[in-house]
Amino acid sequence: MKVGIGILGGGTVGGALLQYLINEQKAIVAKTGLELEVRGVAVRSLSKTRSFPIPTGLITDQPEQLVDDPSVDLVVELMGGLEPAGDLVMQALQAGKPVVTANKELVATRGAELIRRAEEKGVSLLFEAAVGGGIPIIRPLSESLAGEQITRVLGIVNGTTNYILTRMSEGLGFAEALEEAQALGYAEADPTADVSGADAAAKTAILASLAFGTWVSVDGVYREGIESLDPVDLRYAADLGYLPKLLAIGEETPNGVSARVHPALVPLDHPLALVRGANNAVFIEGPQVGELLFMGPGAGGGPTATAVLGDIIDAARELLAEAQVAPRIRFAPGRLLDFGEVETKWYVRLEVADAPGVLALVAGTFGDAGVSIKSVWQEGRGEDATLLLITHDALESNQRAAVTALRSLEVVTEVAATIRVQSDEP
Ligand code: NAP
Ligand code: HSE
């Protein structure tokens, strides 16, 4: 049986999806029994040169009309951004059409409202491609693990920054590494969303919401990007046995849920240190299941279009069954922890005058703030000494208080860098 598809967006992901739907139509029918027919592709520019040209009969710059087209049974949103994508998704749901989207920004911002509307209309809103590109992670979280009390999600969810950090640790400059990631189709239309951690924060909001059953909006995710990482620290980190990664962390504690994105140093023997290039990897932990690791290509047209296609097939099967779709997820109220209440470890680089008693003063300052030091290294002597310290777990608010107090010490010329450290040791 035929299912009419309207695609909003014909860029990196939309173009890859269209190419697959057209070139592999027979293979899809053979494997699923579904005839997925593209009825239109909405873009902004009708005249743009595209790596996979959109056939004349399909291309349109009127997305609202495409959503309303009675021959379109299912809408696929691959435009990105909050608007007009949000209104178009709402328009489709309102009309009782299932929607598949890869738009993490939209889901992390208006997801609760959109999921509710889909539920009211008895149709699906599916967003497997919004997190982890080609890695199946949304369906395992919301279906296979629906009964598990998940305690932590931890991973790398932005391919662009992982690609940049990988290339920088191989000696490339930031700007060249970003250019490469953009050329490979990994970056968002505005790459600041990747570099600033905003893209990863949206994905973390979605993962935490599904994992803990408490709606976490993107505004509730603490966020730092990779812009302020200094190549000097990447070199020191490598010497100390660490690699920098932009981590997404969601935790359920007895006091509430924490969701955050920030750069962190991971030990070279940690599985996340082995995740290179645009790959993503996410650990999911729960008391019954233990530790699961999902890993694979987290960005790029082909892998992402695969996840979109899986959702299209899922939604098309529901359409053909003519069944009222049961709600996939329910959210209960929960407390969101302030980042200051979370335990973290820090790497701190201090420029100090090397004189008797300096180390004792520095250690005392950490101690007064309730932070215990795990290791210390010194480089240089005299006026130009560099101290590198790694702390044990302590409250984030205490780590910050220690660093503020260090700034006022006469012997500390500069607190040159602070980076969190992620390791499973306390
Ligand atoms: P993209 O290459 O920038 O493509 C966006 C498409 O939407 C373009 O075809 C554009 O038209 C069209 N569009 C934008 N605004 C429009 C408007 N107002 N009216 C009509 N058409 C409009 O973006 P992408 O990389 O494919 O990403 C699409 C979505 O997938 C985003 O939500 C993104 O976050 C998500 N995603 C991307 C990746 C990835 O690796 N790229 C991975 C996972 C998820 P023109 O072509 O005429 O400009
Ligand atoms: N820009 C995103 C990334 C695309 O680099 O991971 C996948 O969502």
Side-chain angles (χ1 to χ4, degrees), residues 82 157 273 354:
L82 292 178
V157 294
D354 176 22

Side-chain angles (χ1 to χ4, degrees), residues 25 92 176 199 218 226 272 289 296-297 309 318 332 375 381 402:
Q25 199 180 22
E176 295 155 279
D199 176 84
V218 65
I226 63 165
L272 291 179
V289 78
L309 184 55
E318 282 172 356
S375 342
R381 295 207 59 185

Side-chain angles (χ1 to χ4, degrees), residues 47-396:
S47 55
K48 195 170 177 176
T49 308
R50 298 171 192 281
S51 52
F52 183 76
I54 303 169
T56 322
L58 294 182
I59 194 165
T60 171
D61 59 0
Q62 302 296 317
E64 293 90 353
Q65 283 178 19
L66 182 59
V67 171
D68 272 346
D69 183 338
S71 77
V72 168
D73 304 304
L74 190 160
V75 172
V76 182
E77 186 280 302
L78 299 171
M79 287 166 59
L82 292 178
E83 292 304 339
D87 283 349
L88 290 163
V89 167
M90 199 51 108
Q91 182 190 333
L93 295 174
Q94 195 60 33
K97 298 184 183 187
V99 174
V100 172
T101 179
N103 190 336
K104 75 281 314 202
E105 188 187 359
L106 178 63
V107 177
T109 309
R110 292 181 62 188
E113 172 200 354
L114 294 171
I115 289 169
R116 207 166 37 243
R117 183 57 53 89
E119 204 177 304
E120 280 160 17
K121 290 288 171 183
V123 293
S124 280
L125 170 69
L126 301 177
F127 44 90
E128 182 61 71
V131 183
I135 310 171
I137 179 95
I138 298 296
R139 198 165 274 101
L141 260 183
S142 48
E143 295 181 15
S144 326
L145 296 167
E148 174 64 311
Q149 300 305 309
I150 295 166
T151 50
R152 182 163 84 158
V153 288
L154 163 74
I156 295 166
V157 294
N158 183 268
T160 302
T161 46
N162 202 53
Y163 186 87
I164 292 173
L165 292 174
T166 303
R167 296 292 280 138
M168 282 178 77
S169 60
E170 289 164 1
L172 215 69
F174 175 87
E176 295 155 279
L178 172 60
E179 245 174 64
E180 280 188 9
Q182 285 177 295
L184 290 163
Y186 303 149
E188 294 302 301
D190 174 2
T192 29
D194 296 297
V195 173
S196 69
D199 176 84
K203 293 166 177 168
T204 307
I206 297 171
L207 289 177
S209 298
L210 296 178
F212 309 130
T214 291
W215 179 252
V216 179
S217 139
V218 65
D219 301 330
V221 180
Y222 174 85
R223 160 168 76 88
E224 281 176 30
I226 63 165
E227 313 94 320
S228 56
L229 284 181
D230 188 331
V232 169
D233 292 299
L234 304 198
R235 283 196 291 276
Y236 279 132
D239 290 347
L240 302 180
Y242 293 93
L243 263 182
K245 295 287 175 191
L246 183 70
L247 292 189
I249 306 171
E251 280 167 340
E252 167 112 87
T253 75
N255 299 325
V257 165
S258 147
R260 54 197 196 267
V261 167
H262 53 69
L265 300 179
V266 297
L268 287 170
D269 60 359
H270 192 285
L272 291 179
L274 306 176
V275 180
R276 301 179 63 76
N279 282 330
N280 284 189
V282 180
F283 279 100
I284 296 181
E285 295 165 24
Q288 307 303 323
V289 78
E291 199 175 68
L292 301 172
L293 175 59
F294 297 78
M295 186 167 152
T304 310
T306 312
V308 173
L309 184 55
D311 277 352
I312 293 175
I313 290 167
D314 190 354
R317 285 181 177 143
E318 282 172 356
L319 272 178
L320 296 180
E322 290 182 17
Q324 176 91 358
V325 175
R328 288 178 190 252
I329 176 99
R330 284 273 151 85
F331 298 111
R335 177 172 181 264
L336 202 57
L337 290 180
D338 182 86
F339 191 29
E341 300 173 76
V342 172
E343 296 226 316
T344 55
K345 295 179 195 57
W346 282 29
Y347 153 100
V348 181
R349 171 161 62 93
L350 301 175
E351 301 304 331
V352 296
D354 176 22
V358 169
L359 196 54
L361 263 177
V362 167
T365 307
F366 274 104
D368 291 346
V371 180
S372 155
I373 295 170
K374 178 176 182 267
S375 342
V376 184
W377 297 264
Q378 178 174 334
E379 282 237 332
R381 295 207 59 185
E383 287 305 303
D384 286 326
T386 299
L387 275 186
L388 305 175
L389 300 104
I390 292 189
T391 72
H392 284 293
D393 269 331
L395 285 180
E396 170 79 15

